[in-house]
Amino acid sequence: MPLDSKALDTKDRAGILHPPPLPWNGREAERGDGGRRLFRPAGAGRLPDRLLPFALPGALLASWQAVTAAGFMPEQVLPPPSLVLRTFIAFLGDGEIANNLLVSLRRIACGLGIGVVTGFAFGLLLGVSRRAEAYLGPLFRAFAAVPALGWIPVLILILGIDEALKIVILSKACFVPMVIATLDAYRNIPARLREAADVMRLSPRTRLLKLTLPAMMPMLFGGLRLSAGQAFVSLIVVEMLAATEGIGYMMVWGRTLFQIDIVMVGMAIVGVTGFLLDALLRRIERGIGARMGERTGSHG
Amino acid sequence: MTPVQSSPAPSLAIENVRKTFTVETRTFAALDDVSLTLRHNEIVSILGPSGCGKSTLLRLVAGLETPDAGALFINGRRPVAGPARDCAIVFQDHRLFPWLTVSGNVDLALDSCRLAPAERRERVRRYIALVGLGSFASAYPRQLSGGMAQRAAIARALVAEPALLLMDEPFGALDSLLRTRLQGELLDIWERNRVTILLVTHDVEEAIYLSDRVVVMQPNPGRIRAVVDVGLPRPRQREETAFIALRKSLLELLS
């Protein structure tokens, strides 16, 4: 019979507490969702859970191959997956992919880094200071309403088409979601805990490290992941419009050559890289959550 | 009875305090002309129906609200602004930081004290042991039962050794068995570490069992209706005639 919470409290006359077998690390505690298994129908021939995410892409790929093999569409419009794969392997071999991907990732890293750091700082400023919010809040919202890509025509004139243009566009794309996430995270610090911190008269430093940041962490990570997504979108567009290298440029180049297979290789690389980046951020997020004992927010 | 006092100033003096709140366009007085003095090491309970301003009074003392009129003095000192030194509070919910262990939470309350690291660690350990959580020092709040979490909150309030301990229905969310036990434990702790306690409760028995004096409040506007001396020797028995008689008269005062 499982111990209930009252039984856990048992202390005998000698004052010795009997520690119950508690789920000591977060991972085991999380697994307590017995409900999910109950609703799974026990059918024969079902895929293992790990393979489920691949079922739909696999089916799409198969029908794509079937459509092209039947010759419904010319190869210039819809190249077969086998051709895309051949192009992919050829580009992988001559370093075309590695070079362009490296250039694109460097731009992502710069833009994400600058946008996230400045976005966090600015969001915190708006959250902490009512006056800053009054002065800067409306301007920020107007600024946020113009998409990063809407700035390209003006910025091309000012910055040219060099690296600076891409970094500025990407930073702006990451800045906005990070500011919003930081502001929301700050406002969602539970008032109950803020009062507890008030009566303990915590120093500003302790308050930041032990209350503000841990309480904000889940939402900050949500903002970080949103920013990374925005960075990818903007990167590809800006590379397609004004660049001489990068995955986006590679796609435009393929289109001008009427080699849609190259475009599709680019699309696949962007998709997979974005997916991996998000998975990495989620893993870090979970790691931090486990270290802090508990997460106040929901899993993103 | 004249208790020997180390300091001439009372532990807590509340003088003609008034506090109003405005909801929409209506203004009502949560507290109107409330005065109360607590002697050192005294336990005083505030009893009253909901809406009588008893929690507001506690929040004023803690410095979480400011009075519209009147003044509050803790050990003769008037808190400048914000939460007062020498004063700790236990809320109805434990309010432990979920990302910190029990010792991390208790240690937090020593942030404003200047203690050597070794002494600080020892103090945290001692107070966690005092509330009977010795083997749960490295547990996180979500791993504790309600009673254990509330005890951790009590350890956090006591660890800075405040002169005044405020408690806002600290056992209100617990079941009656656990409540009775924690009331006993609170008295044990109070006997060992003398501290003045101001306790808000809506439980008449709890008020009689714990306190030297019971303050009965009434709502609309929040005022003190009566201050009753308990005057029963400790440990008190809930079944004895004097206890039951006192309970009856307090219930009459409340209705």
Side-chain angles (χ1 to χ4, degrees):
Chain A
M1 213 180 90
L3 291 164
D4 67 8
S5 62
K6 260 156 277 161
L8 298 186
D9 249 323
T10 313
K11 191 170 95 171
D12 64 24
R13 284 322 299 163
I16 298 162
L17 270 162
H18 303 295
L22 288 179
W24 223 234
N25 68 51
R27 213 157 271 246
E28 270 170 287
E30 264 170 34
R31 212 169 286 166
D33 61 338
R36 243 185 70 190
R37 266 164 201 281
L38 276 181
F39 294 108
R40 184 131 49 113
R46 286 181 49 83
L47 287 169
D49 274 2
R50 280 181 162 281
L51 293 182
L52 286 181
F54 299 101
L56 200 54
L60 277 173
L61 221 61
S63 47
W64 175 12
Q65 179 71 50
V67 166
T68 48
F72 289 145
M73 285 198 192
E75 212 176 88
Q76 269 94 5
V77 178
L78 187 66
S82 51
L83 175 60
V84 176
L85 186 66
R86 270 203 306 279
T87 312
F88 176 74
I89 291 167
F91 276 23
L92 210 56
D94 65 11
E96 190 84 27
I97 288 178
N99 290 339
N100 285 314
L101 190 59
L102 212 64
V103 167
S104 292
L105 285 180
R106 205 164 51 223
R107 289 171 181 155
I108 293 265
C110 281
L112 193 62
I114 295 173
V116 162
V117 169
T118 53
F120 173 73
F122 188 70
L124 207 57
L125 176 72
L126 290 191
V128 172
S129 160
R130 232 170 257 266
R131 176 165 294 193
E133 158 75 40
Y135 275 113
L136 301 170
L139 176 66
F140 167 74
R141 275 180 280 278
F143 173 72
V146 182
L149 302 173
W151 287 84
I152 291 180
V154 176
L155 286 176
I156 281 185
L157 292 178
I158 300 171
L159 299 170
I161 59 162
D162 290 337
E163 284 309 290
L165 172 74
K166 287 107 187 168
I167 304 301
V168 169
I169 297 285
L170 260 65
S171 303
K172 194 273 174 192
C174 300
F175 176 78
V176 170
M178 201 59 202
V179 171
I180 293 170
T182 307
L183 194 54
D184 277 354
Y186 186 81
R187 292 196 171 144
N188 273 292
I189 300 173
R192 303 161 40 258
L193 299 187
R194 287 205 310 261
E195 276 185 3
D198 287 344
V199 288
M200 287 189 282
R201 303 187 311 125
L202 297 185
S203 67
R205 189 187 128 86
T206 310
R207 200 185 170 98
L208 180 73
L209 294 179
K210 297 290 170 74
L211 172 65
T212 311
L213 286 181
M216 288 172 70
M217 204 52 91
M219 280 176 130
L220 286 183
F221 259 95
L224 183 59
R225 286 172 49 201
L226 211 59
S227 294
Q230 289 293 310
F232 254 89
V233 173
S234 310
L235 174 83
I236 297 309
V237 175
V238 78
E239 277 184 352
M240 289 176 94
L241 287 176
T244 50
E245 48 186 352
I247 295 295
Y249 169 72
M250 192 183 91
M251 289 161 72
V252 176
W253 176 66
R255 194 200 53 127
T256 43
L257 296 179
F258 280 102
Q259 275 196 270
I260 303 305
D261 50 324
I262 297 179
V263 180
M264 285 179 162
V265 168
M267 287 166 71
I269 291 171
V270 172
V272 170
T273 316
F275 176 81
L276 289 179
L277 184 63
D278 192 59
L280 176 74
L281 290 176
R282 281 168 82 146
R283 170 158 287 199
I284 296 172
E285 181 183 12
R286 234 170 289 149
I288 290 178
R291 267 243 308 273
M292 295 192 316
E294 192 191 355
R295 296 159 35 79
T296 45
S298 58
H299 283 270
Chain B
M1 204 168 86
T2 47
V4 184
Q5 288 182 3
S6 52
S7 136
S11 184
L12 170 68
I14 302 169
E15 291 176 1
N16 311 104
V17 158
R18 182 181 162 80
K19 178 75 186 173
T20 56
F21 288 105
T22 307
V23 178
E24 312 263 297
T25 50
R26 268 191 61 238
T27 300
F28 66 96
L31 291 172
D32 185 31
D33 197 21
V34 169
S35 297
L36 181 67
T37 305
L38 266 69
R39 294 185 289 269
H40 286 270
N41 306 331
E42 196 181 20
I43 303 182
V44 172
S45 292
I46 306 177
L47 202 59
S50 56
C52 70
K54 53 191 196 295
S55 285
T56 306
L57 186 60
L58 210 65
R59 292 174 60 83
L60 282 169
V61 178
L64 291 171
E65 311 268 0
T66 44
D68 297 328
L72 298 118
F73 302 87
I74 294 172
N75 285 329
R77 274 199 311 255
R78 189 173 178 164
V80 190
R85 196 186 285 274
D86 272 0
C87 168
I89 185 164
V90 177
F91 297 95
Q92 181 169 5
D93 49 337
H94 58 73
R95 303 203 185 187
L96 299 171
F97 291 9
W99 42 83
L100 296 178
T101 60
V102 169
S103 28
N105 270 289
V106 173
D107 179 77
L108 217 49
L110 292 175
D111 186 54
S112 58
C113 306
R114 297 192 177 279
L115 288 179
E119 195 190 341
R120 188 165 166 163
R121 272 196 301 279
E122 169 56 23
R123 187 88 82 82
V124 169
R125 196 202 55 75
R126 184 149 44 92
Y127 276 89
I128 291 174
L130 184 73
V131 297
L133 288 179
S135 44
F136 290 90
S138 53
Y140 285 95
R142 74 190 146 91
Q143 295 163 328
L144 305 176
S145 68
M148 292 160 90
Q150 201 58 351
R151 283 194 222 152
I154 292 172
R156 181 177 69 176
L158 289 173
V159 72
E161 304 188 337
L164 177 61
L165 178 63
L166 308 171
M167 305 183 100
D168 189 359
E169 303 194 22
F171 313 128
L174 308 175
D175 66 72
S176 62
L177 267 173
L178 199 53
R179 201 184 313 157
T180 314
R181 201 167 73 210
L182 285 191
Q183 285 162 4
E185 285 181 14
L186 179 65
L187 281 185
D188 284 349
I189 291 169
W190 173 75
E191 309 242 325
R192 271 176 283 170
N193 307 41
R194 285 296 171 152
V195 55
T196 311
I197 300 177
L198 180 61
L199 174 99
V200 161
T201 181
H202 57 245
D203 179 344
V204 178
E205 260 186 35
E206 179 170 279
I208 302 171
Y209 183 76
L210 292 175
S211 358
D212 296 305
R213 286 186 295 155
V214 179
V215 176
V216 180
M217 291 189 67
Q218 62 183 36
N220 297 322
R223 281 198 178 124
I224 292 178
R225 178 172 220 169
V227 179
V228 178
D229 270 300
V230 176
L232 300 172
R234 290 193 177 96
R236 292 168 185 162
Q237 302 302 318
R238 290 177 170 83
E239 306 79 32
E240 68 184 323
T241 343
F243 196 106
I244 293 167
L246 193 53
R247 188 171 144 227
K248 192 158 169 266
S249 57
L250 279 174
L251 282 171
E252 272 163 18
L253 270 172
L254 280 168
S255 59

